[in-house]
């Protein structure tokens, strides 16, 4: 085994310092290292997007990022979207529009959707569909996912404030 | 899936990265990792040492001047697609926006695509059509490798083991009318045929035609026969179909379980014709 390397990542607003093997994938570190099992590993080949998290605010597939590559970055997982018991506007929209079936891809879809909402890229349905290129919903429930993302854009305009980082669930301290 | 163990060095400078490559012949350069890490998970690649070059400031350069556009090797697709380079090389940003999906475009890099040398890479057609120069560093100094010499075989480039790609230079000006058209595989999204096309039309005459094809052939290729048939001819007198047919013959095609050699050649021809028609109608 190669020597562990020290990393410092801010996950859902909390900074964690740790030592990881170079080959540890970000998805595994989040799930096994930090217990943030909301991030799902679907295909593990960077196809399906279930493991999508925001890295410095940008959607990436965490099964294809090494934890050491995330050193010094800000990571947001589905647990960081809203405080326990509350829902982020994107989550509200998915509930309202029934934007999920089995729910396995949902954490990745929510993170990609959050980025789309933040980029104000939710007004054009065709653009939403294209943006879902990196997400595979094996239930094929794309219609309601597209509607939910469009609705999330509307909700975010009404209610732009996100919960403060300190209120978010997440990293064991 | 977890890759086999390896050492990891985050290089701060090109010199530091080169030192690792020199010390360890099994070391590989890591940029976005979206080709390398999947291969490592499957043990198709098993480097002993990864040198992360993404935080070397020089490799994130984006520069435009009247005679050259410079794109650092670690510039990510998402950054490039939003950059002002669209103003002078719409071909490049158009192609980049068609690569994979949003998440992958936030990690994948221009240099990574070049060094990985997948024969269906979208950028291969762009590099060939624009006569891009690959600037590589090694202990022997800097050298520039023309795109025409870069792609040696599928997944093999002209890079030596101790060399690393630092940036790509696109000579300017390029022909004004530019496009990249892609016929994507419905499942993988890879180009079954991707065509980079550029030309000028001056007083009804076609000038400076550049055509390159990726995905269809065993290797990406420049369709010089088509260029020769069109250059200097009046737009009203040319038949794009004929030119595209001649250009498609410049490629070498292989049949596989899904697609025959004839289908691939025909697809190259059709996509070239469409690209030419699109540019002529602009």
């Amino acid at each position: 085994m190669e020597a562990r390397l020290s990393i410092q990542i801010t996950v859902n607003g909390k900074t964690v310092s740790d030592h990881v093997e170079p080959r540890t994938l970000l998805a595994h570190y989040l799930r096994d290292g930090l217990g943030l099992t909301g991030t799902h590993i679907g295909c593990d080949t960077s196809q399906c997007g279930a493991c999508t998290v925001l890295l410095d605010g940008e959607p990436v597939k965490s099964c294809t990022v090494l934890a050491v590559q995330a050193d010094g970055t800000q990571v947001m997982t589905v647990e960081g979207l809203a405080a326990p018991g509350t829902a982020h506007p994107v989550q509200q929209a998915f509930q309202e529009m029934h934007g999920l079936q089995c729910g396995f891809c949902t954490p990745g879809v929510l993170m990609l959707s959050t980025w789309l909402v933040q980029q104000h890229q939710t007004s054009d349905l065709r653009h939403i569909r294209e943006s879902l290129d990196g997400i595979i919903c094996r239930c094929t429930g794309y219609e309601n996912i597209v509607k939910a993302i469009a609705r999330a854009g509307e909700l975010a305009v009404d209610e732009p404030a996100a919960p403060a980082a300190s209120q978010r669930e997440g990293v064991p301290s | 899936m977890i890759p086999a163990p390896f050492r990891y060095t985050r290089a701060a400078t090109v010199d530091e990265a080169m030192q690792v490559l020199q010390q360890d012949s099994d070391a590989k350069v890591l940029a976005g990792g979206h080709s390398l890490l999947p291969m490592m998970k499957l043990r198709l690649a098993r480097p002993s040492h990864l040198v992360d070059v993404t935080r070397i400031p020089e490799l994130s350069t984006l520069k435009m001047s009247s005679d050259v556009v410079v794109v650092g090797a670690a510039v990510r697709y998402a950054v490039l697609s939003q950059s002002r380079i669209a103003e002078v090389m719409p071909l490049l940003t158009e192609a980049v926006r068609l690569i994979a999906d949003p998440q992958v475009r936030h990690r994948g890099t221009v240099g990574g695509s070049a060094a990985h040398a997948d024969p269906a890479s979208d950028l291969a057609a762009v590099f060939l059509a624009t006569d891009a120069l690959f600037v590589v560093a090694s202990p022997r100094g800097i050298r520039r490798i023309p795109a025409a010499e870069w792609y040696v075989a599928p997944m093999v480039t002209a890079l030596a083991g101790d060399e690393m790609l630092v940036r790509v230079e696109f000579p300017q000006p390029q022909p004004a009318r530019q496009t990249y058209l892609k016929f994507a595989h419905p499942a993988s999204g890879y180009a079954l045929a991707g065509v980079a096309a550029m030309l000028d039309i001056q007083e009804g005459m076609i000038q400076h035609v550049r055509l390159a094809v990726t995905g269809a052939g065993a290797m990406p290729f420049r369709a010089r026969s088509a260029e020769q048939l069109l250059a200097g001819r009046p737009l009203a007198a040319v038949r794009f179909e004929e030119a595209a047919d001649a250009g498609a013959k410049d490629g070498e095609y292989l049949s596989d379980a899904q697609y025959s050699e004839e289908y691939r050649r025909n697809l190259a021809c059709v996509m070239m014709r469409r690209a030419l028609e699109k540019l002529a109608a602009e």
Side-chain angles (χ1 to χ4, degrees), chain B residues 209-245:
Chain B
V209 192
R210 311 273 185 273
L211 275 168
V213 182
T214 189
M219 290 283 288
F221 64 94
R222 183 85 173 254
R224 293 195 190 270
S225 305
E227 295 176 6
Q228 281 156 14
L229 274 177
L230 295 169
R233 304 275 311 279
L235 178 60
V238 296
R239 290 186 58 231
F240 287 142
E241 178 123 28
E242 193 187 320
D245 194 52

Side-chain angles (χ1 to χ4, degrees), chain A residues 122-165:
Chain A
T122 58
S123 54
D124 176 3
L125 292 184
R126 193 182 152 175
H127 178 74
I128 294 176
R129 287 176 198 280
E130 280 175 6
S131 303
L132 285 169
D133 195 12
I135 296 282
I136 295 175
C137 165
R138 299 315 301 258
C139 307
T140 69
Y142 296 105
E143 282 302 316
N144 284 359
I145 291 175
V146 171
K147 287 177 192 164
I149 294 174
R151 178 68 183 136
E154 295 167 8
L155 287 177
V157 172
D158 301 340
E159 189 190 340

Side-chain angles (χ1 to χ4, degrees), chain B residues 5-184:
Chain B
F6 55 85
R7 290 179 65 196
Y8 171 90
T9 301
R10 184 181 303 136
T13 62
V14 171
D15 284 345
E16 200 186 319
M18 281 195 307
Q19 266 172 24
V20 177
L21 294 177
Q22 237 185 317
Q23 285 160 6
D24 186 344
S25 60
D26 285 331
K28 287 278 278 178
V29 170
L30 173 72
H34 272 49
S35 298
L36 182 56
L37 293 178
M39 287 173 70
M40 288 171 62
K41 287 181 179 186
L42 296 169
R43 306 297 192 271
L44 294 172
R46 203 166 172 167
S48 53
H49 200 145
L50 289 186
V51 196
D52 186 342
V53 298
T54 55
R55 300 199 198 181
I56 302 175
E58 186 185 337
L59 265 61
S60 295
T61 312
L62 267 181
K63 272 192 281 194
M64 279 161 58
S65 68
S66 56
D67 57 354
V68 69
V69 165
V70 179
V71 180
V75 170
R76 294 175 299 134
Y77 303 136
V79 171
L80 190 57
S81 72
Q82 300 298 321
S83 76
R84 285 183 50 228
I85 284 173
E87 294 164 21
V88 292
M89 280 221 300
L91 170 69
L92 179 58
T93 47
E94 221 176 287
V96 156
R97 287 182 194 133
L98 293 175
I99 296 173
D101 57 58
Q103 295 99 307
V104 173
R105 291 197 288 273
H106 278 106
R107 296 297 294 171
T109 66
V110 171
S113 169
H116 183 58
D118 190 307
S121 138
D122 295 290
L123 287 182
V126 177
F127 294 141
L128 287 170
T130 55
D131 287 318
L133 291 166
F134 296 95
V135 182
V136 306
S138 77
R140 298 173 295 286
I142 292 276
R143 68 171 178 137
R144 285 175 168 74
I145 305 175
E149 294 165 23
W150 179 258
Y151 294 98
V152 173
M155 324 303 263
V156 181
T157 68
L159 263 183
D162 61 351
E163 285 180 324
M164 91 178 231
L165 178 60
V166 178
R167 60 182 181 269
V168 184
E169 295 177 349
F170 299 91
Q172 299 295 313
Q174 297 282 348
R177 300 182 190 215
Q178 308 184 357
T179 195
Y180 177 74
L181 287 192
K182 175 174 178 173
F183 189 94

Side-chain angles (χ1 to χ4, degrees), chain A residues 44 58 61 63 68 71, chain B residues 1 10 41 55 76 101:
Chain A
D44 205 358
E58 297 172 334
K61 294 172 179 174
C63 78
V68 286
D71 180 32
Chain B
M1 290 173 287
R10 184 181 303 136
K41 287 181 179 186
R55 300 199 198 181
R76 294 175 299 134
D101 57 58

